[in-house]
């Protein structure tokens, strides 16, 4: 069964805006708000895609700034034709499946080719397009749940139930997901698809992300990708100060290699994609270690990622075309008003993309799940000052 856009829009009008749904009700603007003691962190959500719409943290001046992308109007999320998966949960298999096919127990499954010849996030009816149920709501946490019918995304067999719980404590935002296939084996690979600009687009000199620093000390290796951002199977090591190096020193900026040959085209598209759209392995990290630190000297905000996942996707927003407005909580009137190319970065903790098609990586046990098995995913972001 595949849901049409009119069905989804109608469902969102009921569930997101709260016109007829039972249970917890959102704020007047359609958002559910959670906050930590002393409002050190405040996060807002909608059921469409189990989406984070706003995340407020303290900058170096003690002001609350909104550091994630999104829209003011919650009704725009389901009708945005670009559907950039703003801070939502794509699934049941996030990222790419090569050539829109995979084999499970000797049976070849074909998936929707919605990204050239490949499948992205399980196609155009993935979980970021669905209205989730609010199954728990407290002052500092909210839980969204979904029942995903078999083949509601093409080539994804078996019913799957899943949930995501967002919570805040102090200056930490925690995300915990579980999923279970109820009937048969199926691919499962989830992520929280968060887009950051730690300046909240308030830097008058630039709205681009290149001056942010990014440090991933346990991520010297990364997956080689082809021109369509699909892993080739090769695992490469980034030399110090090379384009894909974020491990050798904590002071490297996201744009540290902008003047190096190959930066334009580093993320494929035959040279049209500048910057990053790839996967970095996390290796030999101690338990509960900070595996990625994103920071901005302008705002003074530092964001530290901890995760139980084996790697992260880094995407530097190459395909943002300047047509989307910033939220009213962001930007500078007459200076920074739009989401332009390279003005944000998505950091997505997850398992190896297309791992179901690369047995040499030995990720099958982490990506194929059957009845009686519970898939678990957990990450947190802790916010502080540089």
């Amino acid at each position: 069964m595949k849901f049409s856009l009119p069905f989804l829009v109608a469902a969102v009008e009921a569930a997101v805006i709260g016109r007829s749904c039972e249970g917890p009700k959102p704020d007047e603007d359609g958002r559910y708000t959670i906050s930590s003691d002393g409002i050190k962190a405040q996060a807002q959500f909608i059921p469409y895609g189990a989406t984070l719409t706003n995340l407020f943290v303290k900058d170096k001046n003690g002001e609350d700034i909104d550091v994630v992308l999104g829209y003011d109007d919650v009704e725009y999320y389901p009708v945005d034709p670009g559907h950039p998966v703003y801070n939502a949960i794509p699934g049941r298999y996030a990222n790419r499946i090569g050539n829109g096919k995979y084999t499970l127990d000797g049976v070849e499954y074909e998936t929707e080719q919605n990204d050239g010849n490949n499948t992205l996030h399980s196609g155009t009816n993935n979980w970021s397009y669905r209205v989730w149920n609010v199954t728990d709501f407290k002052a500092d946490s909210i839980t969204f749940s979904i029942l995903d019918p078999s083949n509601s995304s093409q080539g994804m067999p078996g019913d799957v139930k899943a949930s995501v719980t967002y919570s805040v404590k102090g200056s930490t935002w925690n995300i915990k997901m579980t999923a279970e296939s109820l009937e048969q084996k199926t691919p499962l690979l989830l992520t929280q698809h968060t887009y950051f600009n730690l300046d909240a687009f308030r830097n008058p000199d630039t709205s681009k992300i290149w001056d942010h620093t990014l440090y991933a000390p346990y991520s010297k290796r990364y997956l080689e990708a082809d021109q369509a951002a699909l892993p080739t199977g090769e695992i490469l090591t980034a030399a110090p100060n090379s384009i894909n190096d974020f491990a050798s020193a904590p002071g490297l900026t996201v744009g540290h290699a902008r003047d190096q040959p190959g930066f334009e085209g580093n993320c494929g598209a035959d040279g049209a994609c500048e910057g990053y759209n790839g996967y970095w392995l996390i290796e030999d990290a101690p338990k509960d270690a900070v595996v990625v630190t994103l920071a901005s000297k302008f705002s003074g905000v530092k964001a530290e990622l901890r995760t139980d996942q084996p790697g992260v996707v880094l995407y530097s927003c190459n395909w943002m075309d300047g047509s989307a407005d910033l939220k009213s909580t962001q930007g500078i009137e007459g200076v920074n008003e739009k989401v332009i190319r390279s003005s944000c970065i998505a950091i997505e903790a997850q398992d190896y993309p297309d791992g179901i098609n690369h047995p040499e990586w030995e990720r099958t046990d982490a990506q194929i799940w059957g009845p009686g098995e519970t898939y678990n995913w957990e990450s947190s972001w802790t916010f502080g000052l540089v």
Side-chain angles (χ1 to χ4, degrees):
M1 180 179 182
K2 187 162 183 173
F3 302 121
S4 66
L5 182 59
F7 173 89
L8 285 172
V9 172
V12 170
E13 288 179 346
V16 176
I17 306 305
R19 292 174 180 165
S20 60
C21 64
E22 298 297 328
K25 295 294 192 289
D27 304 333
E28 291 184 0
D29 64 359
R31 292 169 171 82
Y32 293 83
T33 300
I34 63 174
S35 61
S36 60
D37 293 341
I39 317 184
K40 294 180 181 178
Q42 185 181 78
Q44 296 178 309
F45 304 89
I46 56 173
Y48 181 75
T51 297
L52 170 77
T53 63
N54 305 78
L55 181 61
F56 295 94
V57 300
K58 299 289 187 183
D59 70 3
K60 64 184 180 183
N61 299 314
E63 297 182 6
D64 293 320
I65 61 170
D66 187 0
V67 296
V68 297
L69 275 66
Y71 307 118
D72 281 334
D73 183 0
V74 298
E75 294 192 15
Y76 188 64
Y77 284 85
V79 298
D80 174 16
H83 194 80
V85 194
Y86 274 159
N87 320 321
I89 306 296
R92 65 180 71 171
Y93 193 92
N95 213 291
R96 288 168 177 80
I97 297 175
N99 299 306
K101 61 180 65 176
Y102 67 94
T103 300
L104 175 58
D105 290 340
V107 177
E108 184 176 272
Y109 292 85
E110 294 186 359
T111 54
E112 181 187 354
Q113 294 181 338
N114 64 319
D115 186 50
N117 294 326
N118 304 318
T119 300
L120 181 61
H121 298 321
S122 303
T124 55
N125 193 34
N126 72 69
W127 294 0
S128 71
Y129 288 87
R130 313 285 182 84
V131 179
W132 295 51
N133 296 312
V134 178
T135 51
D136 190 60
F137 182 38
K138 300 181 178 70
D140 60 358
S141 69
I142 188 168
T143 298
F144 296 100
S145 300
I146 190 171
L147 177 61
D148 182 30
S150 180
N151 289 305
S152 58
S153 290
Q154 179 184 327
M156 296 290 156
D159 291 352
V160 169
K161 65 176 182 180
S163 68
V164 54
T165 296
Y166 299 112
S167 61
V168 288
K169 183 177 182 180
S171 297
T172 296
W173 171 43
N174 184 265
I175 313 106
K176 184 176 183 179
M177 290 187 274
T178 64
E180 182 181 354
S181 181
L182 303 179
E183 302 171 332
Q184 63 188 91
K185 291 182 180 179
T186 195
L188 286 172
L189 191 160
L190 301 180
T191 191
Q192 215 290 336
H193 199 289
T194 313
Y195 288 88
F196 288 109
N197 182 305
L198 297 185
D199 294 337
F201 295 88
R202 293 182 177 180
N203 185 341
D205 294 329
T206 181
S207 65
K208 296 201 173 185
I209 204 74
W210 304 132
D211 289 341
H212 283 45
T213 59
L214 196 152
Y215 185 41
Y218 307 102
S219 297
K220 295 180 180 178
R221 299 203 301 164
Y222 63 96
L223 299 184
E224 181 185 60
D226 65 15
Q227 293 300 309
L230 182 74
T232 66
E234 296 296 317
I235 300 177
L236 306 180
T237 299
N241 298 310
S242 63
I243 293 175
N244 291 313
D245 171 38
F246 293 105
S248 66
L252 290 173
T253 63
V254 178
H256 73 275
R258 288 185 69 194
D259 295 331
Q260 293 187 27
F263 187 81
E264 291 190 15
N266 185 56
C267 47
D270 296 316
C273 184
E274 67 173 11
Y276 302 97
N277 189 16
Y279 184 82
W280 277 255
L281 284 60
I282 299 171
E283 300 178 294
D284 301 321
K287 185 178 180 180
D288 297 326
V290 174
V291 295
V292 176
T293 300
L294 182 70
S296 166
K297 290 183 179 179
F298 176 80
S299 67
V301 174
K302 175 176 64 176
E304 297 177 326
L305 173 67
R306 293 173 173 85
T307 185
D308 61 2
Q309 297 301 292
V312 292
V313 168
L314 304 177
Y315 167 55
S316 56
C317 296
N318 178 81
W319 301 112
M320 304 303 189
D321 62 5
S323 61
D325 291 329
L326 294 174
K327 290 179 286 186
S328 59
T329 54
Q330 299 175 325
I332 304 171
E333 186 176 358
V335 180
N336 297 334
E337 296 182 331
K338 302 284 187 178
V339 182
I340 65 172
R341 186 188 193 199
S342 307
S343 65
C344 54
I345 185 166
I347 301 178
E348 310 155 43
Q350 61 167 78
D351 212 289
Y352 292 41
D354 200 30
I356 51 176
N357 284 319
H358 289 278
E360 70 274 21
W361 294 339
E362 299 181 344
R363 302 308 303 170
T364 302
D365 288 346
Q367 298 191 7
I368 301 295
W369 296 79
E373 300 173 333
T374 301
Y375 174 103
N376 291 286
W377 182 106
E378 188 167 5
S379 295
S380 68
W381 286 98
T382 298
F383 296 89
L385 298 177
V386 176

